[in-house]
Amino acid sequence: MNTFENWFCGSGIWRWTTRRTVLPWIVGESQLGDHLLELGAGPGVATPELRKRVPRLTSLEYSHKFAADLHARNAGDGISVLQADAARLPFPDRTFSSAISVLMLHHLTSPELQDRAFSEILRVLKPGGVFLALEIQDGWFQRVGHIRSTFVPVAPATVNARLTSAGFWRVTVDFRGNVFRLRAQRSWDH
């Protein structure tokens, strides 16, 4: 992430927006179950809000600094923090009842890594588990905000096919302006 993203994603306005608007919209009526995996926690703005919704939360972050800071702030609060890669999840199969990512997928360096992350998320979800995500659409404003940062936008038109190919079902995509949320479920049969 670039300097602007680091500042914005840790700001009070993003914290307020996440708590009041983003998370209620992403989660909606979805049942998160007893153990949620947060992918790409960043500076941890969503982490305490997510913890309020589940008995156990595991937050995963690629940046060592963000992961270490998040761990220091949340150790012993029913939150486990790990530094790891979403495309190579260090968890056994069927560990989590749900998984969520907020503006993380576009930071993976290729569509192939995004697809690997989808497969990994499916693998670590329990049968019936739900994957929820918020992403931004491609556009000049989003590209300017990601100068000197990884920005590989997920095309909303491809989400259904990509998640279905990974093994998910009941895939939905909903839009609000330049952002979209996706919801996909792991089948009860697998």
Side-chain angles (χ1 to χ4, degrees):
M1 291 182 12
N2 64 31
T3 303
F4 170 74
E5 289 174 284
N6 285 333
W7 169 79
F8 181 75
C9 291
S11 71
I13 192 161
W14 182 242
R15 183 174 286 107
W16 184 88
T17 302
T18 298
R19 183 179 70 246
R20 304 282 292 185
T21 307
V22 172
L23 289 180
W25 185 54
I26 297 171
V27 174
E29 299 299 316
S30 297
Q31 299 299 312
L32 300 178
D34 64 344
H35 194 181
L36 172 63
L37 173 62
E38 177 187 25
L39 297 150
V45 168
T47 306
E49 294 303 317
L50 291 170
R51 174 61 181 91
K52 293 175 185 177
R53 298 166 185 263
V54 292
R56 290 177 56 206
L57 173 64
T58 298
S59 293
L60 181 129
E61 172 53 40
Y62 186 78
S63 161
H64 176 75
K65 180 188 178 333
F66 280 152
D69 291 349
L70 187 59
H71 175 74
R73 286 194 318 272
N74 294 288
D77 191 24
I79 301 171
S80 299
V81 179
L82 288 136
Q83 190 272 321
D85 184 345
R88 288 183 274 295
L89 296 175
F91 308 109
D93 295 357
R94 301 177 178 204
T95 300
F96 300 97
S97 53
S98 55
I100 191 167
S101 73
V102 178
L103 302 176
M104 181 277 296
L105 294 169
H106 66 264
H107 285 289
L108 297 172
T109 58
S110 70
E112 293 77 22
L113 281 178
Q114 293 168 350
D115 290 341
R116 189 181 313 160
F118 295 150
S119 294
E120 281 289 279
I121 294 163
L122 180 80
R123 180 184 65 76
V124 301
L125 282 175
K126 295 176 182 177
V130 65
F131 170 49
L132 307 166
L134 178 79
E135 277 300 315
I136 53 178
Q137 295 190 65
D138 195 4
W140 70 267
F141 183 76
Q142 291 80 357
R143 289 197 176 269
V144 168
H146 287 85
I147 290 174
R148 295 191 179 144
S149 178
T150 301
F151 184 58
V152 180
V154 176
T158 68
V159 167
N160 193 319
R162 292 172 73 186
L163 288 170
T164 301
S165 177
F168 284 99
W169 70 313
R170 293 187 176 173
V171 178
T172 60
V173 179
D174 301 296
F175 297 88
R176 276 195 183 166
N178 288 327
V179 299
F180 65 95
R181 68 177 176 181
L182 64 89
R183 181 185 191 282
Q185 191 171 10
R186 179 176 176 156
S187 168
W188 287 97
D189 299 335
H190 294 91

